[in-house]
Amino acid sequence: MTTDKLSQPQLFKGIALFTPGGDLIYCIDPNKQGRWHSHLCTALQEILDLPEPPHFLVPCYTATIDHWFDPRTQQVRTFAEAYPAVMKYQAILNAIFDTGYLVWQLAPWQEGVCDRMVLSTYRSSFPQLWEDHDLVINLDISDAAPRYNLPARTVQKVQAKTQCYVLHLFVAGHSTNTERILKNLHELLERSLGYPYTMKVIDVLTNPEQAEIDQVSATPTLVKVWPQPIRRLVGDLDNADKILQMLGNQEKS
């Protein structure tokens, strides 16, 4: 009986990262491995168009949970802790991790690590983090390229308030052809998209790790990172119809 119960997805580790404005991004990892903090910060950078991953939020705005099997008692146990700044979100944490009315423990922290004055120095460079976008995002890190999953109960509210496009254009070096593609893309997007967009140009020769994360093996490649689903268009970036179709046919009338 115990073996049958453990075959269910009861054992996992989870981490939640909040912003000062109240947005939330989290992940659940049944394999209990992975660079959670890095993935969450990188995802926030992409979604909120930040200049760099906001690693300074860790650990001040994090909460972690571990469902683990105790061989001594032959039972699944839960250890959950949150830092002072996010203890007020226990109801939300219990909802996303399905932990009922669990009382979270206060995580130990050193004086000065989460100094408000220090954190406030980032506000001018990362103003989006102090805004409330009603974001509750589940980051799926089961794939090589993490995906952003929005809970069904919040997807309409989030899309209504934060509809925008995050695009990555992968190129190999800077050439006349690259400049032409970039110029044509900007003209098409300005003319055809009904929402704001951010397009980051990534040179695979100098940033091969980003190409690996986005599963890009050829250039040029246009990747729609946000909104979901993630889509890619390789090679033919002169075909406006294919580009708009890849973006989800959300065009201006």
Side-chain angles (χ1 to χ4, degrees):
M1 293 294 294
T2 302
T3 302
D4 291 339
K5 288 182 179 179
L6 289 178
S7 66
Q8 302 298 322
Q10 299 180 40
L11 306 181
F12 68 86
K13 282 190 176 182
I15 184 169
L17 176 63
F18 290 84
T19 68
D23 291 327
L24 164 63
I25 184 168
Y26 68 98
C27 67
I28 297 174
D29 185 3
N31 298 319
K32 298 193 173 189
Q33 60 186 5
R35 298 165 56 196
W36 305 332
H37 294 87
S38 177
H39 287 316
L40 294 178
C41 289
T42 299
L44 274 183
Q45 178 191 13
E46 300 294 348
I47 295 169
L48 297 179
D49 190 25
L50 305 175
E52 61 185 71
H55 296 295
F56 55 86
L57 293 180
V58 182
C60 309
Y61 288 91
T62 57
T64 56
I65 185 169
D66 187 3
H67 276 313
W68 58 285
F69 178 66
D70 187 341
R72 183 176 59 84
T73 62
Q74 294 293 298
Q75 291 182 340
V76 176
R77 300 182 62 183
T78 300
F79 178 76
E81 64 178 12
Y83 283 86
V86 300
M87 284 294 286
K88 61 183 177 181
Y89 297 119
Q90 288 188 59
I92 298 176
L93 291 169
N94 284 331
I96 62 175
F97 292 122
D98 194 22
T99 45
Y101 296 96
L102 178 69
V103 177
W104 289 60
Q105 298 186 33
L106 187 65
W109 60 293
Q110 297 179 349
E111 192 69 32
V113 171
C114 298
D115 187 277
R116 290 185 177 181
M117 293 297 293
V118 174
L119 285 172
S120 66
T121 61
Y122 292 97
R123 187 163 185 168
S124 60
S125 299
F126 299 83
Q128 304 94 317
L129 295 177
W130 274 260
E131 301 168 357
D132 183 2
H133 305 94
D134 271 341
L135 286 177
V136 180
I137 302 169
N138 177 11
L139 181 66
D140 184 354
I141 61 172
S142 61
D143 292 341
R147 302 192 304 269
Y148 316 127
N149 295 328
L150 295 173
R153 63 182 179 276
T154 63
V155 67
Q156 291 183 344
K157 179 193 289 185
V158 171
Q159 287 183 341
K161 288 197 173 187
T162 63
Q163 181 64 279
C164 65
Y165 286 87
V166 177
L167 308 172
H168 285 174
L169 174 63
F170 288 86
V171 299
H174 296 285
S175 64
T176 302
N177 187 50
T178 297
E179 293 179 2
R180 179 186 61 79
I181 291 174
L182 190 58
K183 179 176 180 294
N184 291 342
L185 276 175
H186 275 304
E187 290 179 354
L188 175 64
L189 297 173
E190 291 289 341
R191 182 176 69 250
S192 304
L193 286 187
Y195 297 98
Y197 72 92
T198 299
M199 183 165 63
K200 181 186 296 184
V201 180
I202 301 168
D203 186 348
V204 299
L205 301 181
T206 56
N207 295 282
E209 68 284 348
Q210 187 63 54
E212 182 178 352
I213 291 173
D214 279 344
Q215 297 180 323
V216 171
S217 57
T219 58
T221 293
L222 182 65
V223 180
K224 184 191 71 170
V225 177
W226 184 264
Q228 284 198 309
I230 295 176
R231 292 179 177 172
R232 298 170 180 80
L233 183 60
V234 182
D236 186 9
L237 299 185
D238 291 323
N239 190 317
D241 290 337
K242 282 188 177 180
I243 293 173
L244 294 176
Q245 183 178 6
M246 185 268 284
L247 294 177
N249 292 324
Q250 296 181 348
E251 309 169 46
K252 289 181 180 179
S253 56

